Amino acid sequence: MFTFAQPHNTRSSPALAYARIGAVLISIWYGGMGWLTTIFAAQGSNRWWGGPLATLIAGIALLLIWRGHWRWAARWLVVGAVALTSFFAWDFAFQPSTSLLVLTVLVVFAAWTLGMVEASIAAVAVILLGIGLIHWGYIDWAQMLSVSYVLFFLLGITGLMLQGYRRHLEDLRESLSVLEQHKQQLHVLYQAVEQSPDSILVVDLQGHVIYANPAYEERTGYLRSEVMGLPSRQVSLTGLTQEQYQEMRQTVETGQAWQDTVRNRLKNGDIVVDDVRIAPVLNAQGLVSYLVENRHDISQRLEAENRILHLQKHDSVTQLLNRHAVQELLDEMLVALQSGQGPQRYGEHHDWHALLLVEIDRYQNFEITRGRGWMDALVQSFVQRLRAVAPSVAKLARIRINQFAVVVPAVGQSRYGARMHTYAVAQELQEGLRMTQITSLAEGPETVKLSCSVGFTVFPFVEEGLRTDSADHVLRRASVALSQALHQGGGQVHSYSELLDESIQRRMQVEKELLVALDEGQLQVFLQSQVDMNGRVAGAEALVRWKHPVKGLITPGDFIPVAESCGLIVPLGDWMMEQVCLLLNDPRVQAQGCGLSVNVSTVQFRQPQFVDKVRDVLQRTGAPAQQLTLEVTESLLLNDVEGTIRKMVALRALGVQFALDDFGTGYSSLAYLMRLPIQEIKLDQAFIHDLAPMSEHSVLVQALLMVASSKDLRVVAEGVEQAAQAELLQAWEPSILCQGYLFSRPVLAQDWLLNPQLGMTS
């Protein structure tokens, strides 16, 4: 069926508008023709009602059109026209052939307005009317055939036209749909360009601006109206060099996009760094018609990258070089001094350089009491002072939180002379850094008294076993010297020497071997008896000895300080605690009825889980807690007195006893000492060594014995080696226990268990 194509949106369809207009005009024409027909065909007859009837039919059609039912209006007009014309034809109002022609026109109208189905129905009505007229003799077959020929010819032509019109409408609809899609795409692209954060310009082939997005206005300060028609190199790519311009033109002419970094000037004169991309726009023939210029400001990104690069080699608080940068600097200085082929060596005559490490003493105390903000202000002021007192040619760096490096080039032509000169520089630094004034505090300037430790080395110096010097070796040697300065109490200047290095290397070797000794069971427990005035063994102190597989027996004085400095004292102390508890659970010890004491280091005692460890080892070994005595020193009271007392009270609740070792040699308040839940004091051998009836030590020892007696404490005297010393002590305090070579030497625990009298001197 050929009908008008109905678009999706009928309100805006052109076909609907034309159909409505046609229906209205046909309705008006129909009403007018009805009156004309009545006037000319009804003269002298009773056909006067034709005009009013035609008007009624046209009026109903117009009403249907007004209500939006234009197709029903067209159908109504065709039916009314066919009926009225047929009536006039039947009643001889017109010539029958004329009526048939009128009906033919109505069929064509029906085909055009309604479709071929309605037109075919109307054509059938015309044919039937014609057959009726032939039958009644109004027309002959020749007239009917002529009218039929005209009817079907017009109907066929109309059908072909409708089909072509329909195809045309389909093509138009498809074109409109494609155009609508393109319009939407263009709208999206336009909005994307308008809202892009990058500056976008469209320029013609002469480089003149024909479009600028809002981001361009915001970033450059130019208004779009100001730049339209102006050259892009004048208002946008102001930093484009001639070489870049030529390269860009050559690239875009090949249809490729060009990209580079350009330093452009904004309207207010500021310089920004832009990442610029210029892409060609090709027309249908593949030729460049326009250029799209995209600019992205990368100034902040470059600034951030530069900041990152700066922080990679500089300290964030002081802006000094960091450790990595110092290593690079030292390597560069060493490379500059290297000469010769094959194994690298240094010439006989060259400049010696110096590296000084300066560390602020008591830094951790400041940090605990003053806080991070104050410490940053202190460090910044310290660095200002360091810049002022350091040699002008020196390079400064912060390599640790409280440690600074000073690299001084060309300090001498010989190693000795360089060391002397550097020592003088170190003393000047120490003197100049004694007082530092902090000026950046909110509460006002503050002057802080500081002391610094300085360790230094000169280079290049090829250490034994090496082929050349390196930055790592230089830093290590300076660290060795600084470590010695700190070990001497701080506030000292120390130079690196091979002997010092050997001493530290020995300590490191002891540390490594001690770790192996703990794992492989090379440690042994010795016991030294404690006897009363009658010579009876009343107890013993457990002492650790190290039986090295190569070096033999190593005494505690050679490895205990190393264990304390490297942290191995904690596992060593835990091992000793377990061994002593196992000895206490031995039937032979229980048969003797004596207790055992063991030293507990300050580091071990301050472990948060120390009380739990002691409780656990007592439960695992089954040792009687009342026979275990823990020997502690006054150093426990230097920090956290209340915490120390709480731990001791918790252990006393288990039955463990405490002895205060080296009594009288510390600096703690006697009031604090008396608060400790101790049951025994041990007089240090320093008081016993020169003990005589009228000596200075005798007065102090008698006073200490009086303190112990007033608190009902046991007393053990260490280091008793002479009979006169023992007699004097027993005269002052008959219940005193003596421990020393006079009575017994330390013996292996297993041998002591077999015979507690073993090791007793005659």
Side-chain angles (χ1 to χ4, degrees):
M1 181 180 70
F2 299 99
T3 58
F4 284 118
Q6 297 298 313
H8 297 289
N9 186 2
T10 57
R11 291 185 179 182
S12 61
S13 172
L16 175 59
Y18 296 152
R20 285 180 174 177
I21 295 173
V24 171
L25 294 176
I26 291 297
S27 299
I28 297 174
W29 174 82
Y30 181 80
M33 291 304 294
W35 280 103
L36 290 175
T37 302
T38 300
I39 294 172
F40 292 105
Q43 293 181 2
S45 68
N46 58 354
R47 301 187 193 100
W48 56 268
W49 46 265
L53 182 58
T55 302
L56 177 62
I57 293 172
I60 293 174
L62 290 172
L63 178 62
L64 290 172
I65 293 172
W66 180 71
R67 296 295 300 272
H69 306 299
W70 67 272
R71 293 183 64 84
W72 283 105
R75 292 189 182 103
W76 172 254
L77 284 173
V78 172
V79 172
V82 170
L84 191 58
T85 304
S86 299
F87 175 77
F88 280 124
W90 200 269
D91 199 26
F92 298 100
F94 298 106
Q95 289 293 329
S97 59
T98 303
S99 298
L100 289 174
L101 289 174
V102 171
L103 290 173
T104 299
V105 173
L106 288 173
V107 170
V108 173
F109 169 75
W112 186 259
T113 57
L114 297 174
M116 294 304 294
V117 173
E118 287 85 349
S120 299
I121 295 173
V124 170
V126 172
I127 293 172
L128 291 175
L129 177 61
I131 293 172
L133 291 174
I134 292 171
H135 177 72
W136 294 104
Y138 295 137
I139 61 173
D140 55 24
W141 281 103
Q143 290 175 315
M144 181 61 194
L145 290 174
S146 298
V147 171
S148 298
Y149 173 78
V150 172
L151 173 63
F152 285 108
F153 176 78
L154 293 175
L155 191 60
I157 293 298
T158 304
L160 293 174
M161 292 176 62
L162 286 174
Q163 186 176 7
Y165 183 65
R166 183 176 178 274
R167 286 197 300 266
H168 182 63
L169 286 178
E170 291 292 338
D171 292 341
L172 287 177
R173 182 188 298 118
E174 185 177 353
S175 298
L176 288 174
S177 176
V178 173
L179 288 174
E180 183 65 24
Q181 291 178 0
H182 288 173
K183 180 181 177 181
Q184 292 178 356
Q185 291 176 355
L186 288 174
H187 180 72
V188 171
L189 292 174
Y190 177 76
Q191 291 298 322
V193 172
E194 284 283 296
Q195 299 176 21
S196 173
D198 293 343
S199 171
I200 298 177
L201 293 183
V202 178
V203 300
D204 58 22
L205 294 182
Q206 288 71 41
H208 296 136
V209 178
I210 62 173
Y211 168 80
N213 71 339
Y216 169 82
E217 294 182 312
E218 180 182 351
R219 294 186 180 278
T220 64
Y222 288 103
L223 298 177
R224 284 194 256 195
S225 58
E226 293 181 88
V227 301
M228 290 301 173
L230 295 179
S232 171
R233 294 184 68 181
Q234 178 180 332
V235 294
S236 179
L237 298 180
T238 57
L240 195 67
T241 65
Q242 187 63 29
E243 291 77 9
Q244 287 178 316
Y245 178 76
Q246 293 297 335
E247 181 186 353
M248 181 269 293
R249 296 299 300 185
Q250 293 173 1
T251 302
V252 298
E253 285 175 359
T254 63
Q256 303 297 317
W258 175 85
Q259 189 168 356
D260 203 348
T261 301
V262 181
R263 295 177 61 84
N264 291 315
R265 185 181 299 275
L266 305 180
K267 184 178 181 180
N268 60 7
D270 292 344
I271 300 296
V272 295
V273 181
D274 288 329
D275 183 16
V276 179
R277 187 177 190 272
I278 300 178
V281 178
L282 307 180
N283 58 19
Q285 291 73 35
L287 300 177
V288 179
S289 56
Y290 298 99
L291 299 177
V292 177
E293 172 192 313
N294 187 304
R295 287 173 46 191
H296 178 67
D297 187 354
I298 59 174
S299 301
Q300 292 183 351
R301 190 190 74 188
L302 292 178
E303 182 179 351
E305 291 176 353
N306 292 333
R307 178 64 176 167
I308 292 172
L309 291 175
H310 178 80
L311 290 177
Q312 287 178 348
K313 295 187 177 182
H314 293 79
D315 175 62
S316 59
V317 176
T318 63
Q319 304 307 313
L320 295 179
L321 298 176
N322 58 18
R323 186 182 186 89
H324 178 71
V326 167
Q327 287 181 306
E328 289 186 350
L329 174 62
L330 294 176
D331 279 330
E332 291 174 1
M333 298 174 72
L334 288 168
V335 168
L337 289 169
Q338 290 176 359
S339 62
Q341 301 295 326
Q344 296 179 351
R345 61 185 182 85
Y346 299 95
E348 297 298 329
H349 302 285
H350 58 76
D351 284 331
W352 288 79
H353 309 313
L355 171 64
L356 300 92
L357 296 184
V358 181
E359 182 165 314
I360 302 175
D361 297 332
R362 301 182 297 116
Y363 185 90
Q364 190 174 10
N365 294 339
F366 284 123
E367 191 171 27
I368 293 173
T369 58
R370 304 305 293 268
R372 172 59 59 188
W374 189 91
M375 291 305 300
D376 287 345
L378 171 65
V379 169
Q380 290 169 351
S381 300
F382 178 85
V383 169
Q384 290 180 357
R385 185 63 185 158
L386 181 60
R387 291 182 188 275
V389 299
S392 59
V393 295
K395 299 289 186 181
L396 308 181
R398 187 186 188 190
I399 58 176
R400 289 184 182 175
I401 188 171
N402 66 325
Q403 194 176 110
F404 301 84
V406 181
V407 181
V408 186
V411 291
Q413 290 290 318
S414 66
R415 186 185 181 196
Y416 176 79
R419 292 177 66 179
M420 293 298 99
H421 180 76
T422 306
Y423 187 83
V425 171
Q427 288 185 317
E428 292 177 2
L429 291 177
Q430 268 195 327
E431 185 64 29
L433 295 171
R434 290 187 185 277
M435 305 295 290
T436 296
Q437 187 176 36
I438 308 176
T439 59
S440 58
L441 298 175
E443 55 270 23
E446 179 179 349
T447 300
V448 181
K449 185 177 180 179
L450 298 175
S451 74
C452 298
S453 299
V454 182
F456 71 87
T457 185
V458 295
F459 64 94
F461 174 75
V462 181
E463 300 175 34
E464 185 177 355
L466 300 177
R467 302 176 67 184
T468 185
D469 204 357
S470 69
D472 288 337
H473 297 149
V474 176
L475 282 166
R476 188 193 68 81
R477 294 197 299 270
S479 298
V480 167
L482 178 62
S483 175
Q484 184 63 21
L486 294 171
H487 185 70
Q488 292 177 352
Q492 305 292 322
V493 175
H494 212 284
S495 172
Y496 169 81
S497 68
E498 291 85 325
L499 292 178
L500 174 62
D501 201 2
E502 290 175 3
S503 174
I504 293 179
Q505 293 295 337
R506 284 196 300 271
R507 289 174 61 88
M508 294 179 63
Q509 184 66 26
V510 169
E511 178 181 334
K512 290 191 295 185
E513 293 179 351
L514 181 58
L515 185 60
V516 175
L518 284 168
D519 292 337
E520 297 183 356
Q522 297 177 13
L523 300 179
Q524 296 178 337
V525 178
F526 279 61
L527 295 177
Q528 186 176 25
S529 299
Q530 298 170 344
V531 300
D532 59 14
M533 61 180 302
N534 299 318
R536 184 181 67 86
V537 177
E541 179 183 0
L543 305 171
V544 64
R545 295 292 186 270
W546 179 6
K547 189 175 182 180
H548 194 280
V550 177
K551 302 175 183 178
L553 200 64
I554 301 177
T555 60
D558 293 330
F559 66 88
I560 290 297
V562 176
E564 289 178 339
S565 64
C566 69
L568 288 176
I569 194 65
V570 174
L572 175 60
D574 293 342
W575 180 83
M576 279 293 294
M577 182 77 67
E578 181 157 357
Q579 297 304 311
V580 170
C581 289
L582 289 172
L583 289 172
L584 285 173
N585 196 38
D586 191 288
R588 291 168 291 183
V589 174
Q590 295 181 1
Q592 290 288 330
C594 61
L596 298 179
S597 62
V598 60
N599 284 282
V600 176
S601 73
T602 301
V603 176
Q604 182 185 6
F605 188 90
R606 286 177 179 166
Q607 293 291 306
Q609 65 276 24
F610 178 71
V611 175
D612 295 332
K613 283 185 176 181
V614 175
R615 182 186 294 111
D616 178 66
V617 74
L618 288 172
Q619 291 175 351
R620 283 190 292 105
T621 60
Q626 296 78 8
Q627 291 180 255
L628 174 64
T629 300
L630 304 182
E631 297 186 7
V632 297
T633 62
E634 296 179 38
S635 59
L636 279 178
L637 300 177
L638 294 179
N639 292 298
D640 194 15
V641 177
E642 300 301 329
T644 299
I645 294 175
R646 282 195 300 270
K647 285 185 178 181
M648 295 179 72
V649 169
L651 291 172
R652 280 295 300 137
L654 299 176
V656 177
Q657 300 191 47
F658 284 93
L660 190 60
D661 199 10
D662 300 334
F663 184 64
T665 61
Y667 304 95
S668 299
S669 167
L670 190 60
Y672 278 141
L673 295 178
M674 294 301 100
R675 291 179 56 193
L676 297 179
I678 57 177
Q679 290 72 48
E680 176 183 303
I681 62 173
K682 298 189 72 174
L683 298 178
D684 189 77
Q685 59 185 350
F687 299 131
I688 309 302
H689 185 267
D690 296 324
L691 187 63
M694 301 301 294
S695 65
E696 295 179 357
H697 285 171
S698 65
V699 177
L700 182 56
V701 170
Q702 291 182 68
L704 295 176
L705 292 174
M706 291 177 61
V707 171
S709 177
S710 65
K711 298 291 293 182
D712 196 22
L713 301 175
R714 297 191 306 272
V715 180
V716 177
E718 291 183 300
V720 179
E721 298 179 355
Q722 299 176 12
Q725 297 170 347
E727 294 172 356
L728 191 58
L729 290 170
Q730 292 171 352
W732 290 337
E733 177 56 57
S735 63
I736 196 171
L737 299 179
C738 294
Q739 177 182 340
Y741 285 178
L742 176 64
F743 299 97
S744 173
R745 292 179 176 273
V747 297
L748 191 64
Q750 297 303 319
D751 296 336
W752 189 91
L753 290 176
L754 296 174
N755 180 15
Q757 302 297 324
L758 187 66
M760 299 284 286
T761 56
S762 56

